[in-house]
Amino acid sequence: MNQDYIKPSEWSIIEEGFDKENVKSSESLFSIGNGAMGQRANFEEHYSGPTFQGSYIAGVYYPDKTRVGWWKNGYPEYFAKVLNAPNWIGINVAANGEALDLNSCEAVNGFRRELNMQEGWYRRDFMATMPNAIKLKVSSTRFLSLDLDELGAIKYEITPIDDDVEITYNPYLDSGIKNEDSNWDDKFWNTTQITSEGQQAFIEAHTMKTNFGTCTFMESQLFYQGKKVAKKPIATKKELWVGHEYTQKVKKGETICLYKFGGYTVSRNHKASEVVNAAKSVLKKATELGFEALLEKQKRAWEKIWEMSDITITGDIKAQQGIRFNIFQLNQTYLGKDSRLNIGPKGFTGEKYGGSTYWDTEAYCLPFYMATKNQQVARNLLKYRYNHLEKAIENAKKLGFINGAAFYPFVTMNGEECHNEWEITFEEIHRVGAIAFAIFNYYRFTGDYTYIPDMGLEVLIGIARFWEQRATFSTQKNKYVILGVTGPNEYENNINNNFYTNYLGRWCLNYALEQLQKVKDGYPEDYHRIIGLTKLTEKETEKWKKVAKNMYFPFSEEHNIYLQQDNFLDKELITVANLPKSQRPINQKWSWDRILRSPYIKQADTLQAFYIFEADFTLEELERHFDFYEPFTVHESSLSPCVHCIQAAKLNRMEQAYQFYLRTSRLDLDDYNKEVEEGLHITSMAGTWMSIVEGFAGMRIVDDKLSFTPRIPKQWKGYSFKINFRKRILKVSVSAADTRFELDGKEEITIRVNGSRVAISPNKETVHKNIPA
């Protein structure tokens, strides 16, 4: 049974009624962020029930010492973790001396919370009957500013219902916080200074080992019935805590409001000695503007984001809510302003996966950012990997690779590998190919070739060197094989000749050779600079050609399919349909030994190759492989439904595609994996966007032109989206009858629709009739 307490709404995530069982899940679902920081939707006031407190600062991490039972050569020394940062949102509240705590209230009525995705704010409203019988009406609104991305703002209003009440507000800062996922209970933060100045307070702290300097700051203002109260707070300091206490007699039916501005300044962006001054500067801007003006700016900033990135769906409110939730969370996590940052699988919503960078960025997120932002944002994601090239070469050296081979990490913060499950760290090598493919994908979509001679070719050379050295010549097969790997299907470890891995390795070698020639012909200065840097020789490139030409791919003549790996057919091939529901999910019900021997596939593996390299395969080949592998797929990875949705749509199996779409778009809202309280699945959210744009609309780049094969689920009346293709904005609107195109710009663009050439003129709607299903 999936959770179903989130109310359907086109633009908001809404919860009505207070249920303690939902608190931790809602803390994830109502999370807010602005690309520079983010936080779970924890209550501002004290809550004594089960809660997962979490505030996070982009790029600030701690190298938590690895915890393994048996150390192996090549293991990373640490697992980098995004840190639970000092808490600035806290506001303790008391009525006639009794603390407000929803866990201990006699009654909580009219509870409602809303995450308004259109405007970028989070709000709670409720009526609390406290143990001392006082009834309070409470409303709190919170947002993290997109314009001033070191700042957050809270408006916290209280109205006594039955009696005059003495209300005490105590806004505070607290650096006595811990990560829930600490390996050894290390101390992650060292608090060095706690300062209180009037209505402002500051906590200076730095991370242990990594030494990121931070200032957590706040300033509060008290208003009664809309008028500012000129009252100095009583400052209270504890070892790792500072609070400002305000007490005010409030008449029945009248409202007292605390505005609190807070956030973080960090030595990543300021001199370490200047973080407090930087915080004061932010607070000055905030208080001069005030909460309402800041909120208006927030609404305008989100309006600008939605103008480009929104996808509308008519006739299916849950599908509409799902896609907007995904797009909203992607933009809260990463806005592309800083090439030092990347997209963690949990974003700012939890601590699982360490908040680090995975292959998800290149394989799933890049298309979304390429199409909905300007191309510099996508280029920054590629620059991130170029900046880590030397670390990737170091990672390869640790495992015995030589001569500048680059082995990009599976999990990283700074380019070093920090993941320590051997079957992933050493064997899931396909992640290296995803980076090369992202370079190809970026050029294919944007038309910006300059990245390759500027940075990309050096990355491609390092990756090609890795694949050439990782392949082994089999005298028995008279082919090059790739042994001891884990493919995208992590339910098979240490297998030989994973089809996707081998195919990707061959492609990387050939693509590097192509780009070498292209740069040599068109950018001779860059070519000579890169050859000088990398010391690449003709002998090496000849070996690349040999390995690529003679790569082995396992194939079954009986089934006329490529095998996921050499021994896939040795398994007992019982489909998922014949697996009792009581055994699902198998990753929670079965031993790892049993999973490894089973035929069950966590996510697209062989089919991942058919997705990425679909131009290499016929529709009949796709259908044959889809029909063989999908029935064994348990979809227990958040990255699984989107790829299958795209392929089902291509095969015109729209009901199946629609079910996959719902699974990916509402993965967290409906908590399919029973783990949403740990945080959201941010990177897979980009797959939801792909499901519509690449799946239902069939968008591709074919012969250097945009191409569409539009389809629509029968549950929808229509859908629309925009893409920024080579600095031209194209709006696509699909209904059952036709597809409409609108071009914003000055130049005509030629596209293909269902194989036919269509010229789109600027500022004029072009209508193309759809092919009947």
Side-chain angles (χ1 to χ4, degrees), residues 506-613:
R506 181 182 73 171
W507 180 88
C508 288
L509 290 165
N510 285 331
Y511 187 64
L513 288 163
E514 285 173 23
Q515 300 319 302
L516 271 168
Q517 191 60 50
K518 195 168 179 178
V519 173
K520 183 179 181 180
D521 294 343
Y523 301 82
E525 285 186 18
D526 286 303
Y527 177 79
H528 291 298
R529 170 181 61 82
I530 292 164
I531 295 300
L533 274 172
T534 60
K535 308 289 190 294
L536 185 68
T537 65
E538 189 176 339
K539 184 180 178 183
E540 270 192 273
T541 56
E542 286 302 313
K543 182 71 183 292
W544 296 0
K545 290 176 189 175
K546 187 178 178 184
V547 173
K549 186 179 178 183
N550 294 288
M551 187 67 77
Y552 169 73
F553 304 113
F555 189 82
S556 165
E557 298 289 348
E558 178 191 353
H559 297 281
N560 198 18
I561 57 162
Y562 289 105
L563 289 177
Q564 188 165 285
Q565 45 91 3
D566 276 348
N567 299 115
F568 190 81
L569 293 180
D570 292 338
K571 301 187 177 203
E572 190 178 5
L573 297 177
I574 300 169
T575 62
V576 176
N578 292 302
L579 181 66
K581 286 186 179 178
S582 62
Q583 301 292 297
R584 304 278 303 279
I586 62 170
N587 61 19
Q588 295 175 24
K589 301 292 179 72
W590 285 12
S591 70
W592 200 246
D593 168 72
R594 189 177 179 188
I595 288 172
L596 292 177
R597 290 184 284 110
S598 81
Y600 300 121
I601 302 169
K602 185 182 180 189
Q603 66 189 77
D605 193 309
T606 304
L607 293 178
Q608 187 79 18
F610 278 76
Y611 165 63
I612 289 183
F613 302 113

Side-chain angles (χ1 to χ4, degrees), residues 81-96:
K81 290 187 173 163
V82 64
L83 291 188
N84 196 350
N87 173 19
W88 67 263
I89 70 162
I91 304 172
N92 286 335
V93 174
N96 289 353

Side-chain angles (χ1 to χ4, degrees), residues 69 93 153 181 254 315 360 478 512 563 663 730 769:
V93 174
D181 67 346
E254 296 188 346
D360 306 19
N478 199 31
L563 289 177
R663 175 87 183 248
L730 183 68
K769 294 292 180 186

Side-chain angles (χ1 to χ4, degrees), residues 193-327:
Q193 187 75 35
I194 298 177
T195 312
S196 176
E197 300 175 10
Q199 291 175 307
Q200 297 182 341
F202 310 91
I203 291 184
E204 293 171 77
H206 62 255
T207 58
M208 306 298 280
K209 297 184 182 178
T210 44
N211 207 35
F212 290 104
T214 65
C215 173
T216 307
F217 58 86
M218 73 171 182
E219 180 169 349
S220 302
Q221 300 172 336
L222 195 64
F223 282 73
Y224 186 63
Q225 288 293 93
K227 292 182 180 178
K228 191 170 184 180
V229 178
K231 182 177 283 192
K232 286 187 177 180
I234 298 168
T236 308
K237 281 191 197 177
K238 301 175 189 174
E239 184 185 3
L240 301 170
W241 189 96
V242 58
H244 285 166
E245 186 175 292
Y246 301 84
T247 301
Q248 178 77 29
K249 201 80 168 162
V250 182
K251 290 184 178 178
K252 167 188 168 182
E254 296 188 346
T255 300
I256 188 163
C257 175
L258 183 86
Y259 291 105
K260 181 177 183 180
F261 303 103
Y264 307 103
T265 47
V266 190
S267 62
R268 292 179 69 257
N269 304 316
H270 306 279
K271 288 182 180 176
S273 59
E274 289 295 312
V275 289
V276 173
N277 286 336
K280 288 179 178 179
S281 174
V282 173
L283 287 171
K284 185 172 186 292
K285 292 174 186 172
T287 51
E288 284 175 355
L289 282 166
F291 182 91
E292 299 302 337
L294 281 165
L295 183 55
E296 281 305 308
K297 282 179 168 286
Q298 181 80 346
K299 292 174 183 179
R300 287 197 294 273
W302 273 105
E303 183 180 25
K304 191 174 179 183
I305 289 172
W306 284 115
E307 174 63 27
M308 188 61 222
S309 64
D310 190 24
I311 291 181
T312 68
I313 297 171
T314 53
D316 189 341
I317 195 167
K318 281 198 161 189
Q320 178 67 87
Q321 184 181 40
I323 186 60
R324 283 190 174 137
F325 180 66
N326 285 250
I327 292 169

Side-chain angles (χ1 to χ4, degrees), residues 339-340 382-391 455:
S339 64
R340 297 170 299 172
L382 297 182
K383 186 182 178 187
Y384 177 89
R385 294 296 193 178
Y386 172 74
N387 290 341
H388 289 172
L389 177 58
E390 286 306 310
K391 290 286 188 186
M455 296 178 247

Side-chain angles (χ1 to χ4, degrees), residues 412-427:
T412 193
M413 280 288 193
N414 67 351
E416 288 180 282
E417 179 64 74
C418 60
H419 191 279
N420 53 38
E421 294 173 6
W422 64 269
E423 64 274 17
I424 305 297
T425 307
F426 305 149
E427 297 197 338

